[in-house]
C-alpha cells in the first residue's frame, strides 16, 4: 500500500474515535416496519416519516427509533471554528 493511503486510513481511525466530529444535517433512510417500509427523513432539525401515525402526531416509532440509533450525532451543532478545521482537510 502507498504511504499516503496508509496515512489516510490511520487518520480515519483517529476521526472515528471522536464521534463529535460528525453531525448529520440531512439524511434519508428506509425503515423496515412490521407492516411496511417507510421513508424517514431528517432535514433542518426536523423529522418526517411516511407512516400514517406521523401525519397526525409529528412523531412515530420509526422516527423515535432512528433518533436512538443516531444518538448525539443529530444534536451537536458545529461551531464556526470546527467548520474552518473541517474545510481544510
Amino acid at each position: 500500500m502507498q504511504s499516503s493511503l496508509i496515512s489516510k486510513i490511520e487518520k480515519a481511525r483517529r476521526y472515528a474515535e471522536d464521534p463529535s466530529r460528525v453531525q448529520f444535517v440531512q439524511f434519508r433512510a428506509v425503515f423496515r416496519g412490521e407492516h411496511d417500509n417507510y421513508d424517514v427523513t431528517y432535514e433542518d432539525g426536523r423529522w418526517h416519516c411516511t407512516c400514517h401515525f406521523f401525519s397526525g402526531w409529528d412523531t412515530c416509532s420509526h422516527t423515535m427509533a432512528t433518533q436512538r440509533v443516531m444518538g448525539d450525532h443529530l444534536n451537536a451543532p458545529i461551531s464556526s471554528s470546527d467548520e474552518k478545521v473541517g474545510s481544510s482537510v
Side-chain angles (χ1 to χ4, degrees):
M1 243 190 278
Q2 294 183 0
S3 63
S4 59
L5 179 56
I6 292 170
S7 172
K8 293 299 181 185
I9 292 169
E10 291 171 354
K11 189 177 196 178
R13 286 183 183 147
R14 286 195 316 273
Y15 282 171
E17 291 173 0
D18 183 6
S20 68
R21 289 183 171 271
V22 177
Q23 177 191 11
F24 289 94
V25 178
Q26 174 185 40
F27 70 88
R28 176 183 171 267
V30 176
F31 195 104
R32 288 188 321 247
E34 291 179 357
H35 305 289
D36 204 350
N37 290 341
Y38 304 99
D39 287 331
V40 174
T41 57
Y42 179 82
E43 186 172 2
D44 297 326
R46 298 185 57 118
W47 289 95
H48 186 267
C49 181
T50 56
C51 76
H52 179 71
F53 189 87
F54 187 90
S55 63
W57 291 84
D58 287 332
T59 193
C60 66
S61 58
H62 314 112
T63 58
M64 288 187 275
T66 305
Q67 287 171 343
R68 293 185 75 141
V69 169
M70 299 306 293
D72 294 335
H73 293 293
L74 299 173
N75 299 323
I78 297 175
S79 70
S80 59
S81 61
D82 289 340
E83 288 174 351
K84 291 176 187 170
V85 170
S87 65
S88 65
V89 176

